[in-house]
Amino acid sequence: GLAFRLYADDADGRAVPSYTYQHPEFSELAWDFGVRHAGRSEPGFLGPYLRDGRLLACSEFSGQKWGRPHSGYAYSATYLGGDEFRGTLPGLASAAAEPSATVLIADAGYGKPVLGTNYLRAPSDPLFMAGMVNSRHQGRANVLWLDGHVRSQKLVHHLDPNLPNLGGLSPDDSAYDLD
């Protein structure tokens, strides 16, 4: 959470970008990792703000990571981190009406069995099924909120009864948006 805050301070209040494919040195550069054109993985946008440049993976996550160096945690991409493909820029971190009720990072995944993702999506996002909160800790998910506090949380919104441990923190976008 501190790394996100430091990044925003250096970026005139702008949140960390979720990802970009338009960086000259990287084929993919995301909030948590970057892949150089030669295929070597290294720290992403938050790397300079972390003690050793790496983020830790959730020890309870055991699903496939799809080539990502860490997985299990996902950053709120629909509103906060922006989405390059949809033409949305990262939001202003200070613009959140209720920082204590706006998700920043959460345990996440998608599918059955649960697979890794590093982009958390709001319920109205067409990609919600690919970035849901995963309640893998005895029916709860660890959530880092924009104001910096962390809370173990039950899911509020389930989209698919066949995926009981995947869903959302609100039935609408209220836990994800900045309004």
Side-chain angles (χ1 to χ4, degrees):
L2 181 57
F4 278 93
R5 186 170 303 250
L6 291 171
Y7 181 97
D9 287 348
D10 287 347
D12 297 323
R14 197 63 61 190
V16 176
S18 298
Y19 66 91
T20 184
Y21 290 107
Q22 299 178 18
H23 193 283
E25 298 175 36
F26 293 89
S27 58
E28 181 179 2
L29 182 60
W31 66 277
D32 56 344
F33 75 98
V35 177
R36 293 223 177 247
H37 291 292
R40 188 177 79 233
S41 178
E42 54 190 71
F45 284 113
L46 287 183
Y49 301 93
L50 301 168
R51 178 173 290 157
D52 66 0
R54 295 180 306 137
L55 292 170
L56 300 175
C58 175
S59 61
E60 297 287 319
F61 180 76
S62 60
Q64 187 170 4
K65 297 179 183 182
W66 296 109
R68 272 110 172 93
H70 7 74
S71 200
Y73 301 127
Y75 172 43
S76 188
T78 303
Y79 293 97
L80 199 57
D83 191 324
E84 185 175 286
F85 286 128
R86 294 169 71 194
T88 58
L89 296 173
L92 286 171
S94 61
E98 290 186 69
S100 64
T102 304
V103 65
L104 179 62
I105 297 177
D107 289 321
Y110 71 98
K112 188 174 184 178
V114 177
L115 304 170
T117 182
N118 53 344
Y119 307 117
L120 187 64
R121 303 297 180 156
S124 71
D125 191 317
L127 296 175
F128 178 63
M129 290 295 289
M132 294 183 280
V133 176
N134 178 214
S135 58
R136 62 176 156 264
H137 302 286
Q138 298 177 353
R140 302 179 76 83
N142 293 321
V143 181
L144 170 63
W145 299 90
L146 190 55
D147 71 347
H149 83 278
V150 176
R151 185 173 61 231
S152 175
Q153 179 108 13
K154 285 190 174 228
L155 297 179
V156 173
H157 171 64
H158 293 278
L159 189 64
D160 185 339
N162 295 317
L163 304 171
N165 292 330
L166 294 171
L169 298 171
S170 58
D172 54 17
D173 289 4
S174 61
Y176 304 82
D177 66 18
L178 300 175
D179 297 328

